[in-house]
Amino acid sequence: MSRDNRFFSDLKHVEAELNYLTPMAEKLVNYAYEPPAGVPRSNGKYETHKVPIHNAREISDKVSLERQGFDFTAHKSKVSDFYDEDEIRSVYYPEAKQLLKELIGATEVLIFDHTLRNAEISQPGENEIREPVKRVHNDFTAKSGYTRARKVLTEQGISRLA
């Protein structure tokens, strides 16, 4: 579905400048932590593009996981501090698992990762909170996603999917 589709044409939006990787011949290298001395954090070059960011809440009753690949649902979490790792794992993970089971009919849900981000309280080396990522990205390729899933499943003692 294109951005110009009438589905989005009347939605409220803001415009934001997002940084996109420019095409490159070599493999992208990007350190999520301090690189070795003399090594740049990334070999990528980025271009800024102004893009509309739509408020999809206004169409929440018109989208579905099957059609658009996402859905909306209301959920009030019992988490009081989303920067408390123990509370996230002990309260939020079970809430999210139960919610997913109810919404999509899953019999098993495995939550394996999260990243806390906040520029104001990030203190590299002192806490586990990172700064926001300042460029458009995805976390996995088709190959690395499969590799990561296999690694996580193996660590959980799950050798094959049902």
Side-chain angles (χ1 to χ4, degrees), residues 106-124:
T107 56
E108 186 65 35
V109 174
L110 175 64
I111 299 174
F112 64 90
D113 200 3
H114 70 272
T115 302
L116 301 177
R117 296 191 185 276
N118 183 318
E120 293 178 11
I121 60 177
S122 174
Q123 297 175 347

Side-chain angles (χ1 to χ4, degrees), residues 3 9 11 15 45 52 67 94 96 100 109 115 119 127-128 146:
R3 286 186 316 200
S9 62
L11 284 180
E15 288 191 348
K45 304 285 187 248
R67 286 191 317 265
L100 285 166
V109 174
T115 302
N127 65 24
E128 296 295 318
Y146 179 84

Side-chain angles (χ1 to χ4, degrees), residues 1-8:
M1 184 180 325
S2 77
R3 286 186 316 200
D4 297 327
N5 188 302
R6 67 174 177 78
F7 194 66
F8 294 106

Side-chain angles (χ1 to χ4, degrees), residues 19-24 28 42-47 135-136:
N19 300 307
Y20 289 86
L21 181 67
T22 59
M24 53 193 288
L28 176 66
S42 177
N43 66 340
K45 304 285 187 248
Y46 294 84
E47 269 181 5
R135 61 194 175 280
V136 174

